[in-house]
Amino acid sequence: MKDFATDYPIDTSIKPDVEAFFDPDTNTISYVVKDPTSNACAVIDSVMDIDYAAGRISYESADKMIKFIEDNGLKLEWLIETHVHADHLSAAPYIQGKLGGKIGIGENITVVQDTFGKVFNEGTEFQRDGSQFDKLFQEGDTYKIGNMTAFAMHTPGHTPACMTHVVGDAGFVGDTLFMPDGGSARADFPGGDAGVLYDSIQKVLSLPEETRLFMCHDYGPNGRDIQWETTVAEEKEHNIHVGGGKTKEDFVKFRTERDAQLAMPRLIIPSLQVNMRAGEMPPAEEDGKVFLKVPVNTL
Ligand SMILES: [Fe+2]
């Protein structure tokens, strides 16, 4: 494992402003991360609205983020996807079209594109080289948001392309972790692995104890209000799946048994087709109509 103190540019004296946007339809939390010393910002894990039954998409959620960025006079530099989400569609290209910025995801997007390119029987016109994205992050890559240095940690297990993005004292964990009383995300999607997820969680928990951690999802377990922010120290001590020194063996057994009980996420079929294209719909047919596929008896 890396020596975090020397291998990553951790600087917890940098405290980005973090604005959260909760989407009640998919229980996703999107973020605007702002540099306190400039007007630069990044968007993390935006949401496109979809009425799947009606085949209708809209952008109320993304428009709220756009309004926030415009009202505060911010300059959008990055649109980060922590992974290829299976439970909501990304609005990154829509926001990019209005505000600019670069769309980035982990380099293992190519693995995900290969897997789901086959599932959806995509032809050769669907590129599986990640070229739909502006930036493919590798383990340890750094980038700037204004004057802040951010870095990407490869944290696979939930999916092969999962990255945790760290900006100063703030870590955006995607689906690597949930709030302490929510535990962890499933590891049974193609390319997922419970043991690998455990190791990735340990990597996140090796960040400084005071690091603020921001979740991509919260389901308000046991009827509590929705929450999305915790710390490394809190997760280490209290996370119901990995906290308090739970072993890898315990975790893998629990996670595997739990995952076997879970139904597919409601929006997995449209989400994957759009998100593996960096948030774009599949190409239109000759008459201009756009279609999503439903693979029968495949997932
Ligand atoms: Fe996910």
Side-chain angles (χ1 to χ4, degrees), residues 32-107:
V32 173
V33 188
K34 183 197 166 290
D35 177 11
T37 69
S38 75
N39 64 352
C41 73
V43 159
I44 301 195
D45 290 333
S46 62
V47 173
M48 177 202 290
D49 303 297
I50 185 166
D51 176 347
Y52 188 39
R56 184 161 296 281
I57 61 167
S58 58
Y59 294 101
E60 292 85 14
S61 299
D63 284 338
K64 278 184 208 155
M65 298 187 90
I66 291 169
K67 182 173 188 311
F68 176 84
I69 291 168
E70 287 179 340
D71 285 353
N72 288 280
L74 305 183
K75 177 170 172 285
L76 181 59
E77 298 190 344
W78 287 97
L79 300 110
I80 303 291
E81 298 292 322
T82 54
H83 62 294
V84 174
H85 308 279
D87 51 18
H88 70 271
L89 287 67
S90 168
Y94 173 79
I95 298 174
Q96 183 185 47
K98 306 263 181 195
L99 300 176
K102 285 189 229 162
I103 302 176
I105 198 164
E107 63 171 348

